[in-house]
Amino acid sequence: VRAQQELLPCQSLPKNLLFQLLGLSIATLSTVTHYGLHFTLLSNISLESNSYRVIHHAAFYFGICLSMTLILAALLSSAATVRESQCLTAMGFFCFALAFCGLIPAACWRYTHSTEVEDSMMDVYDLVYEEVRRNASSFRRHELTAIHETFLCCGKHSPFGDTANVEHKTCPSSQLHDAGQDCLQEIRNFLKKHMDFVSTLLGVTIGFTVYGMILTSFLWFSIHFSSNLERKGKYILR
């Protein structure tokens, strides 16, 4: 029994380190998404119907809370392994379970609302573009120029057919001369790559979280039964 208990730290601590690295990866991705130029540029545009801003901030806070929960679960599990504490083990299991309860709705939302983020970003571009097209002297022209320079694109295919004036004033010269890419398509392509990476990280996190709950459960039962076996055969005279 004692030998089995001594093996638990050696087996569990490397796994807890992986959980901490996973939490740091989620925090890094959330920070890059929140402060990345491609995302902040569209989020900071002041529009009455900028639904992307809500998604932008919600994704950041969810990612930070999830990463903190995973890191806390890993630290509690490490402390429980070293101190052989059933209380700390139960708290670590609770943190893993809490993370799992947040991950499942997030994964469901990702697949049931797969186009919502994309649509909200393209709506922002559409509104800015149409406002500049109707009024060339609009202050939105600077915002549209910044979008074109960031996404390396130039305008969009419009049914009105009068976009040449807008593109000459807001597109980078390299994109204008080389018949630059449609911005709606560029936004779609950029976001697809990003969301594919997010989906992969979500799947890996769910798998590791389930594994963390199994690991902490096994640790709790190991500590519990080892403690009972140590007391077996010991009696107190009254």
Side-chain angles (χ1 to χ4, degrees), residues 65-236:
C65 290
L66 176 62
S67 66
M68 291 176 64
T69 303
L70 286 174
I71 292 172
L72 179 61
L75 292 175
L76 287 171
S77 299
S78 299
T81 303
V82 173
R83 300 183 61 180
E84 299 179 6
S85 169
Q86 289 180 266
C87 179
L88 291 176
T89 306
M91 291 172 64
F93 176 86
F94 174 77
C95 288
F96 280 120
L98 187 64
F100 181 78
C101 290
L103 283 165
I104 294 302
C108 292
W109 186 91
R110 166 70 185 92
Y111 289 103
T112 56
H113 299 77
S114 57
T115 61
E116 189 167 329
V117 179
E118 176 184 304
D119 291 342
S120 63
M121 291 181 75
M122 291 194 297
D123 284 344
V124 173
Y125 178 81
D126 266 330
L127 291 170
V128 173
Y129 187 93
E130 291 303 321
E131 189 169 333
V132 174
R133 188 184 64 81
R134 290 192 301 266
N135 181 11
S137 62
S138 171
F139 71 95
R140 299 286 185 196
R141 189 175 67 179
H142 299 290
E143 295 174 338
L144 187 61
T145 302
I147 295 174
H148 289 163
E149 291 175 349
T150 300
F151 284 92
L152 297 178
C153 59
C154 183
K156 66 173 185 174
H157 299 298
S158 174
F160 298 102
D162 57 347
T163 61
N165 188 42
V166 176
E167 294 174 0
H168 276 292
K169 292 182 177 180
T170 59
C171 290
S173 57
S174 59
Q175 294 295 317
L176 187 62
H177 295 154
D178 298 337
Q181 296 293 325
D182 180 274
C183 277
L184 296 180
Q185 185 62 42
E186 286 299 306
I187 291 173
R188 183 182 293 110
N189 293 339
F190 170 80
L191 193 60
K192 183 182 184 303
K193 294 177 183 178
H194 186 78
M195 294 306 291
D196 286 345
F197 186 75
V198 171
S199 299
T200 302
L201 189 59
L202 269 177
V204 171
T205 305
I206 290 174
F208 271 93
T209 302
V210 173
Y211 177 69
M213 289 190 290
I214 296 173
L215 183 66
T216 49
S217 299
F218 175 77
L219 181 61
W220 189 91
F221 282 109
S222 297
I223 295 172
H224 177 74
F225 288 117
S226 296
S227 179
N228 288 342
L229 286 173
E230 282 182 348
R231 290 195 296 269
K232 188 175 180 179
K234 294 181 180 179
Y235 304 96
I236 300 176

Side-chain angles (χ1 to χ4, degrees), residues 12-62:
S12 299
L13 291 178
K15 298 180 179 68
N16 291 328
L17 180 60
L18 288 176
F19 290 124
Q20 294 182 48
L21 291 175
L22 184 60
L24 290 174
S25 299
I26 295 173
T28 302
L29 179 63
S30 301
T31 303
V32 169
T33 302
H34 188 69
Y35 294 103
L37 182 58
H38 292 79
F39 300 100
T40 57
L41 191 60
L42 295 174
S43 176
N44 291 336
I45 292 177
S46 56
L47 293 170
E48 293 181 1
S49 57
N50 191 349
S51 59
Y52 172 68
R53 183 183 293 115
V54 178
I55 300 174
H56 183 75
H57 290 295
F60 172 70
Y61 293 121
F62 172 79

